[in-house]
Amino acid sequence: MKSFKGVNYLFLSLFLLLLLASTASATNIEINGQTQDKVLEGQVISYTLTINNIPPAADYISFDTDLVKVDDSPLYNFTNLNFTSDANKFDFPVNESTTSIIVTINGQIPQITNKKQYDGVTLITYKQSTGYAYDRITLTNSKGNLIESVETRPFEISIPEVDSFREQINQIEDPFFKKYLQDLHDKGLVKESKTLADYLTENDKWPSYWWLIPGAIIGLIVGFLIGVRFNSKDDIDLGEDTE
């Protein structure tokens, strides 16, 4: 019985030692500066990371961010290592002498709004607003095998116009017009869909000539597509004539 207890104590001690060792070997990151979960496109973000306790098995540390460079300021400034980088993704070697890394990240939230002008018609489309990260930091060995995923902090890009429009169509009870306005908005006719949504939410009813509105907008879209097609054809014909 005493022998059995002794074996249990031995395994328990080994388990605690392994747990303490794994905890002690985990890379530690301290953040100086606030990074918001939801941000505006074009917003400037600046913060400092202090990375300590890098495991001896790591040969490379990799940095990856969705922030973009701001004017003449470096995207990454490694103050204690005396170098900077403007690349969104890169890595550099580390060894036992690399006891800590202090890096200041100064970047801008990417633009996800695209505007195109076609003969008085403005098409506005948006890229995805989620799936972005301030930093993705990993440690690998010389063979490229992952040692540790140190940090991944996501953010979402908020577009006030899109948020406002979403609130408006949520107030519309008719499912047909709710879907119709959302489709117009998604196709890039933001101003037109917003005008119709404003009228409907302010007056709580459609005008007596509401049935003309979808036809007019569809005609506008068809006319726009035909115009683009003919312009493209004229450009091709002009190119053929000049040869």
Side-chain angles (χ1 to χ4, degrees):
M1 192 67 172
K2 289 182 179 180
S3 175
F4 181 74
K5 288 183 178 180
V7 172
N8 282 344
Y9 286 138
L10 177 61
F11 277 109
L12 180 59
S13 300
L14 289 173
F15 175 76
L16 290 174
L17 286 173
L18 289 173
L19 181 62
L20 290 172
S22 63
T23 303
S25 63
T27 305
N28 175 259
I29 289 188
E30 297 177 5
I31 303 173
N32 184 10
Q34 293 183 345
T35 49
Q36 302 167 322
D37 295 333
K38 200 167 187 178
V39 291
L40 299 174
E41 57 181 349
Q43 184 176 339
V44 176
I45 303 293
S46 183
Y47 59 98
T48 299
L49 300 178
T50 301
I51 306 171
N52 293 308
N53 209 23
I54 299 171
D59 295 308
Y60 292 92
I61 184 167
S62 173
F63 290 83
D64 181 13
T65 182
D66 289 315
L67 299 178
V68 296
K69 178 179 168 60
V70 181
D71 300 327
D72 296 328
S73 301
L75 188 56
Y76 289 98
N77 184 10
F78 294 86
T79 55
N80 68 325
L81 300 179
N82 297 318
F83 77 92
T84 63
S85 176
D86 291 331
N88 294 80
K89 184 176 182 179
F90 71 102
D91 58 37
F92 62 88
V94 293
N95 50 46
E96 294 180 358
S97 64
T98 312
T99 56
S100 68
I101 297 173
I102 302 174
V103 54
T104 297
I105 296 96
N106 185 64
Q108 197 170 34
I109 301 299
Q111 296 282 340
I112 62 173
T113 302
N114 293 321
K115 293 184 179 182
K116 292 184 179 180
Q117 193 77 24
Y118 297 98
D119 295 331
V121 178
T122 302
L123 295 183
I124 303 175
T125 56
Y126 305 96
K127 299 178 183 177
Q128 64 181 38
S129 60
T130 58
Y132 302 96
Y134 291 111
D135 34 58
R136 305 176 188 91
I137 304 175
T138 56
L139 296 165
T140 58
N141 60 19
S142 58
K143 296 181 180 180
N145 298 323
L146 179 66
I147 301 296
E148 185 179 357
S149 292
V150 184
E151 182 79 4
T152 300
R153 290 182 302 142
F155 64 84
E156 178 184 351
I157 302 176
S158 174
I159 304 295
E161 186 281 325
V162 174
D163 295 338
S164 174
F165 182 78
R166 188 179 294 117
E167 291 178 2
Q168 274 190 303
I169 62 173
N170 285 338
Q171 299 174 28
I172 300 173
E173 296 181 359
D174 191 299
F176 171 79
F177 288 113
K178 180 182 290 190
K179 184 178 184 303
Y180 182 79
L181 290 175
Q182 186 63 63
D183 287 343
L184 286 181
H185 194 273
D186 293 342
K187 286 179 172 62
L189 293 171
V190 172
K191 182 179 178 181
E192 290 77 6
S193 60
K194 182 71 167 59
T195 300
L196 294 177
D198 286 343
Y199 183 90
L200 182 58
T201 53
E202 289 172 4
N203 296 275
D204 198 30
K205 63 179 181 178
W206 283 89
S208 57
Y209 52 86
W210 67 264
W211 53 273
L212 293 174
I213 297 174
I217 295 178
I218 291 172
L220 178 67
I221 297 174
V222 171
F224 161 72
L225 293 176
I226 292 175
V228 170
R229 181 179 235 178
F230 273 110
N231 286 337
S232 300
K233 185 176 184 301
D234 290 342
D235 291 341
I236 294 173
D237 292 342
L238 183 62
E240 291 177 349
D241 293 341
T242 55
E243 288 181 358

